[in-house]
Amino acid sequence: MSHARVYTSFDLDHDKDLHDRLIAESRVHGSGFEVVARSQAGEPDEAWEERVRRRIRQVDQVIVICGEHTDVSPRVSAELRIAREQQKPYFLLWGRPEIPCTKPAGAKSADGMYSWTPDTLREHIRSTLRSAHSLAAAARYKRHS
């Protein structure tokens, strides 16, 4: 199976170390993913949103790294909203096992936050790729009336 192209959303003010950790894990042989874009600095205005929208459009899925302050990060909330608008699959990753982490504002109550292990990452990425390929195949063969 090919590598998933991933956008990482995270709180730039508090969680850059978590993003760096994810980058390191993506470089391990057999990880199944490549981080090709990440959270953007700046105020979430129209120009910022268009840059983020363009980057998210080019990936297979979005990984939202949750830390202690994710719930108050306007950029993470906006990136999650844009991922949904672009119909990109995403999942929330519990970034710091030793402290309580928060979901971004706007996350659905059904959005679980998953423990950060190499197996969890691989499984979610593979599952997302399988689902995306199945949906694309179904759309190709759908009969139009």
Side-chain angles (χ1 to χ4, degrees):
M1 187 172 280
S2 62
H3 273 45
R5 296 169 44 88
V6 169
Y7 182 99
T8 57
S9 176
F10 64 98
D11 180 354
L12 289 165
D13 298 324
H14 300 99
D15 298 326
K16 182 165 179 337
D17 61 315
L18 298 176
H19 176 262
D20 294 344
R21 176 180 163 200
L22 189 67
I23 292 290
E25 288 190 31
S26 74
R27 294 182 176 147
V28 172
H29 179 73
S31 70
F33 72 101
E34 173 187 10
V35 176
V36 297
R38 59 171 237 156
S39 287
Q40 301 294 300
E43 290 303 310
D45 58 14
E46 275 187 49
W48 179 92
E49 283 203 17
E50 187 50 41
R51 283 192 310 274
V52 170
R53 188 171 279 105
R54 217 175 17 254
R55 289 181 172 106
I56 289 177
R57 191 178 302 129
Q58 297 173 353
V59 301
D60 299 311
Q61 68 182 282
V62 174
I63 297 175
V64 180
I65 304 172
C66 298
E68 190 175 10
H69 305 284
T70 305
D71 61 335
V72 294
S73 171
R75 289 184 295 259
V76 175
S77 295
E79 289 164 338
L80 179 59
R81 178 181 46 76
I82 292 167
R84 283 196 194 119
E85 288 170 0
Q86 297 290 315
Q87 298 180 338
K88 294 296 177 173
Y90 66 90
F91 65 94
L92 309 180
L93 199 56
W94 190 291
R96 299 186 188 282
E98 68 280 1
I99 62 171
C101 294
T102 60
K103 293 180 182 184
K108 296 177 181 177
S109 60
D111 288 341
M113 232 189 310
Y114 296 92
S115 297
W116 187 337
T117 68
D119 288 340
T120 300
L121 279 173
R122 272 192 304 275
E123 199 49 47
H124 276 282
I125 289 164
R126 286 181 184 143
S127 173
T128 299
L129 283 177
R130 276 193 303 270
S131 295
H133 289 288
S134 295
L135 289 173
R140 280 195 307 274
Y141 296 111
K142 184 177 181 182
R143 292 174 55 169
H144 300 283
S145 46

